[in-house]
Amino acid sequence: MPFLGQDWRSPGWRWVKTEDGWKRFEPFSPALQDGNSQLNDISHPVILTGDDGDEEIYAPEDCEFAAKKRKKDHCRNNTDSQCFYRENWIYVHKESTRERHGYCTLGEAFNRLDFSSAIQDIRRFNYVVKLLQLIAKSRLTSLSGAAQKNYFNILDKIVRKVMEDQYNPRLIKDLLQDLSSTLCILIREVGKSVLVGNINIWMCRLETILLWQQQLKNLQMNKQVNNGLTLSDLPLHMLSNILHRFSDGWDIITLGQVTPTLYMLSEDRQLWKKLCQYHFAEKQFCRHLILSEKGHIDWKLMYFALQKYYPIKEQYGDTLHFCRHCSILFWKDTGHPCTASDPNTCLMPVSPQHFIDLFKF
């Protein structure tokens, strides 16, 4: 049998995860189907009178066509209604098959994985920003027109969130700095057609990036008025435990600037030693030893020196996962229609760099 459905290029049915398992999703509500069935049951010509008195006669087959078109428009325009479902996963395929033609791209992944909503989740915010930063450094020239639009739309939402919530502005500043540096270099090489799209569009985008940088530079952190217990009121051992939870040296330095007590705790040698041991191997210490005036190892300087030569471990509240059985990329809490007997054994967390590598063709 050559065809499996009305359109042999169709990727198949959509499925919804329920308490009883995965069920096939019907994209149209019963109320809409009833309304369309009433139109489809019309067996006589319909006469419509316009404002000028002219009458137009529509045959039953015209009404049936209008009903089908209305059904399509309802599904297309009411994407936020309860009767519409959209998967937050994407099948990663790198070659064409008889069933599927072409391959998935970064632009398609941006749409299907819904990064616009992901940045509203504090667990995924750092992950998405790091991903955009890696794209700015290495994959900007390979973005299609749709992928460029998605990229800068998400970037605009990130800047708005940082300006409103004042959450982690240093992270987005680093992203914009890398993006502007990359664009400045690529625009000079426009004669080589390294960027997809009109040069004037990229110049406007560069001006927007510079405007964002200026806005973040002028960002004033709101001082919260709280008459209750503050961070300075906590015991020293609790403040020390908080500092030991950080995995980024810059976060430790930033917190140390709040009060003299926190500054004293942030300069603890054991704190920076454990941070170095967490991110780097012992053999890497021997290659870049830095001694203080007293002859002791300066672990704080060691951390920033090693950071220039070796990558540090990345921690994220939530990451994308890849199913080795289904070859599907998805957010873990949304799930996917896995056919494996034990899906948990097939899951693999995907770092931002791994995500970039999945779409290198």
Side-chain angles (χ1 to χ4, degrees):
M1 186 172 64
F3 300 109
L4 300 177
Q6 293 182 352
D7 187 352
W8 63 275
R9 297 168 297 178
S10 175
W13 295 97
R14 291 184 174 181
W15 297 82
V16 182
K17 188 175 183 181
T18 64
E19 296 179 355
D20 300 329
W22 289 88
K23 294 184 178 181
R24 196 173 70 186
F25 172 71
E26 299 295 341
F28 306 111
S29 61
L32 180 64
Q33 290 180 341
D34 294 341
N36 291 329
S37 62
Q38 293 177 4
L39 288 177
N40 293 335
D41 292 340
I42 297 176
S43 57
H44 55 82
V46 178
I47 301 176
L48 298 180
T49 304
D51 297 335
D52 53 359
D54 296 337
E55 295 182 348
E56 295 184 7
I57 301 177
Y58 291 86
E61 54 269 17
D62 296 328
C63 296
E64 182 179 358
F65 174 79
K68 291 182 179 180
K69 187 176 185 303
R70 189 172 74 131
K71 186 184 294 185
K72 289 183 179 180
D73 292 340
H74 176 85
C75 185
R76 184 182 299 112
N77 298 330
N78 295 277
T79 58
D80 295 332
S81 60
Q82 294 181 354
C83 66
F84 185 86
Y85 179 80
R86 177 183 177 183
E87 312 95 332
N88 286 335
W89 51 265
I90 183 171
Y91 176 72
V92 181
H93 52 110
K94 297 186 178 181
E95 57 185 8
S96 298
T97 63
R98 183 175 296 179
E99 293 79 15
R100 297 183 68 99
H101 285 256
Y103 50 84
C104 53
T105 62
L106 270 177
E108 185 180 359
F110 269 66
N111 283 333
R112 295 291 295 274
L113 296 174
D114 198 11
F115 286 109
S116 295
S117 300
I119 61 175
Q120 304 301 327
D121 191 336
I122 193 172
R123 300 171 304 164
R124 301 174 180 175
F125 181 83
N126 292 1
Y127 184 91
V128 176
V129 172
K130 181 63 176 180
L131 180 59
L132 296 184
Q133 189 173 14
L134 291 176
I135 294 176
K137 290 182 178 180
S138 60
R139 296 297 305 279
L140 203 59
T141 56
S142 63
L143 293 181
S144 64
Q148 293 173 18
K149 185 177 180 180
N150 292 335
Y151 182 93
F152 282 94
N153 284 341
I154 295 173
L155 189 59
D156 178 60
K157 293 181 180 180
I158 290 176
V159 174
R160 292 175 182 269
K161 179 177 177 59
V162 173
M163 296 295 295
E164 294 174 1
D165 301 343
Q166 301 178 350
Y167 174 74
N168 210 342
R170 178 175 58 85
L171 196 63
I172 187 62
K173 286 180 181 179
D174 294 340
L175 166 60
L176 294 178
Q177 180 61 39
D178 292 337
L179 182 59
S180 61
S181 300
T182 303
L183 274 182
C184 289
I185 295 174
L186 295 177
I187 287 177
R188 298 192 191 102
E189 302 176 2
V190 69
K192 300 178 182 179
S193 300
V194 294
L195 287 172
V196 178
N198 190 289
I199 182 61
N200 295 324
I201 296 178
W202 285 104
M203 291 297 296
C204 292
R205 288 171 176 168
L206 181 58
E207 293 178 359
T208 303
I209 294 171
L210 297 177
L211 177 61
W212 287 338
Q213 288 179 313
Q214 187 63 35
Q215 290 176 350
L216 291 172
K217 184 179 180 181
N218 299 331
L219 178 63
Q220 298 292 331
M221 305 298 290
N222 296 330
K223 186 176 181 181
Q224 297 183 356
V225 179
N226 189 359
N227 298 326
L229 187 67
T230 63
L231 189 65
S232 304
D233 299 326
L234 296 177
L236 291 180
H237 71 277
M238 294 186 65
L239 294 175
S240 179
N241 287 335
I242 292 175
L243 288 170
H244 278 80
R245 302 293 180 182
F246 289 168
S247 61
D248 192 337
W250 284 110
D251 291 337
I252 296 176
I253 293 178
T254 302
L255 185 58
Q257 296 174 350
V258 176
T259 63
T261 302
L262 287 172
Y263 175 77
M264 176 192 67
L265 294 174
S266 66
E267 294 293 322
D268 183 23
R269 291 182 64 253
Q270 291 299 322
L271 172 64
W272 290 98
K273 180 179 180 180
K274 291 183 178 180
L275 190 63
C276 289
Q277 291 174 343
Y278 172 77
H279 287 289
F280 310 107
E282 186 176 354
K283 60 180 181 181
Q284 296 173 344
F285 298 156
C286 303
R287 300 177 183 176
H288 306 279
L289 279 177
I290 300 178
L291 302 178
S292 62
E293 297 179 355
K294 297 180 180 180
H296 302 296
I297 298 178
D298 194 330
W299 291 105
K300 182 178 179 180
L301 294 180
M302 281 274 293
Y303 169 80
F304 290 104
L306 293 170
Q307 194 179 26
K308 297 178 181 179
Y309 298 100
Y310 309 103
I312 62 176
K313 292 182 180 180
E314 299 176 354
Q315 284 186 337
Y316 303 102
D318 189 18
T319 64
L320 289 171
H321 280 68
F322 181 75
C323 180
R324 293 186 292 267
H325 177 79
C326 306
S327 297
I328 286 179
L329 192 65
F330 63 101
W331 294 105
K332 188 175 182 180
D333 59 349
T334 59
H336 73 290
C338 187
T339 58
S341 57
D342 189 2
N344 292 329
T345 60
C346 306
L347 302 185
M348 179 181 63
V350 177
S351 66
Q353 184 59 55
H354 187 194
F355 178 89
I356 299 295
D357 295 338
L358 285 175
F359 296 92
K360 282 185 177 180
F361 305 109

